[in-house]
Amino acid sequence: NAGVTQTPKFQVLKTGQSMTLQCAQDMNHEYMSWYRQDPGMGLRLIHYSVGAGITDQGEVPNGYNVSRSTTEDFPLRLLSAAPSQTSVYFCASSPPPGVGNTGELFFGEGSRLTVL
Amino acid sequence: GQQLNQSPQSMFIQEGEDVSMNCTSSSIFNTWLWYKQDPGEGPVLLIALYKAGELTSNGRLTAQFGITRKDSFLNISASIPSDVGIYFCAGPYTASKLTFGTGTRLQVTL
């Protein structure tokens, strides 16, 4: 009963380093997304995907790349980490909107990233 | 883009008290959602609202879709310690995209 799995849970980077946050879901959901959570700012959408091979930018995409080669996986890449990217990152998945779909996103437990 | 203003930012209440929080949007929504985030976890959906004026309950939680379609309210009755967390409003739901409010942090003291 895994749901949405994020790794790593904690990571410390130095400015300029690159890394990938992994996200995998086992619910066969078409839609996946990445949010960042900062104090007092709620959750802000970084990138999202409506299916394998399709991605699009959210509200705060700068400094992040994504790809979606399979339905299950949606990794988030930081190409050159900056202190402003210190945050908690959440991956979410959901079925497409439709009749009977409540709009529920299923979130992972989060990845806490610190950039020094 | 859409903005969601959520208030209050934080609340400190005693066990057994009722809680009210609200969310307002700069534009009309056709869906309002309320999520709760427990410490160290991802948000979990509590209640979904789809029609102006709709009132929906989930146990001790009651949420309302404002008739102007620009606001929503969440009430928690008889709070208990496990109600501690951050409550987010969100909407609307398109292509896995949700706009979230800034959150209301709830602390419950015994």
Side-chain angles (χ1 to χ4, degrees):
Chain A
N1 195 19
V4 178
T5 303
Q6 292 183 232
T7 56
K9 287 188 167 43
F10 300 94
Q11 183 71 49
V12 179
L13 292 177
K14 294 181 179 179
T15 297
Q17 286 185 318
S18 62
M19 77 157 300
T20 299
L21 299 177
Q22 301 291 345
C23 176
Q25 54 97 2
D26 62 0
M27 297 174 283
N28 202 31
H29 286 163
E30 293 181 43
Y31 290 5
M32 296 186 74
S33 51
W34 276 101
Y35 289 82
R36 60 177 288 173
Q37 182 177 21
D38 302 292
M41 302 188 74
L43 293 124
R44 293 180 293 168
L45 182 64
I46 304 172
H47 285 285
Y48 67 99
S49 169
V50 299
I54 306 170
T55 64
D56 206 346
Q57 297 181 347
E59 179 186 356
V60 288
N62 292 340
Y64 308 95
N65 276 357
V66 292
S67 60
R68 183 97 179 271
S69 56
T70 67
T71 299
E72 294 78 19
D73 300 299
F74 192 43
L76 178 71
R77 298 183 188 84
L78 284 71
L79 303 177
S80 179
S84 61
Q85 294 179 303
T86 293
S87 186
V88 182
Y89 292 85
F90 287 97
C91 179
S93 74
S94 64
V99 176
N101 186 345
T102 59
E104 180 173 11
L105 298 187
F106 295 82
F107 284 87
E109 293 185 335
S111 297
R112 183 176 294 274
L113 176 66
T114 301
V115 183
L116 303 176
Chain B
Q2 295 162 338
Q3 294 183 337
L4 293 185
N5 297 311
Q6 195 169 342
S7 64
Q9 283 189 330
S10 62
M11 304 181 72
F12 292 83
I13 64 170
Q14 287 191 327
E15 184 178 6
E17 290 184 1
D18 296 342
V19 173
S20 292
M21 60 190 77
N22 67 78
C23 197
T24 59
S25 168
S26 58
S27 57
I28 290 174
F29 278 12
N30 54 20
T31 305
W32 280 102
L33 305 167
W34 285 93
Y35 282 78
K36 183 196 177 192
Q37 183 181 27
D38 288 329
E41 303 288 333
V44 174
L45 181 66
L46 295 173
I47 293 177
L49 302 161
Y50 301 104
K51 193 163 53 173
E54 179 180 357
L55 191 71
T56 297
S57 293
N58 179 3
R60 293 177 296 104
L61 278 62
T62 301
Q64 184 167 20
F65 194 138
I67 57 173
T68 67
R69 298 172 64 190
K70 289 187 175 182
D71 54 9
S72 181
F73 309 89
L74 178 69
N75 296 314
I76 305 172
S77 62
S79 59
I80 59 178
S82 62
D83 290 334
V84 165
I86 304 176
Y87 292 80
F88 291 102
C89 60
Y93 175 56
T94 57
S96 193
K97 295 165 58 179
L98 281 180
T99 298
F100 283 85
T102 50
T104 294
R105 185 179 296 271
L106 180 64
Q107 300 276 19
V108 180
T109 58
L110 300 176

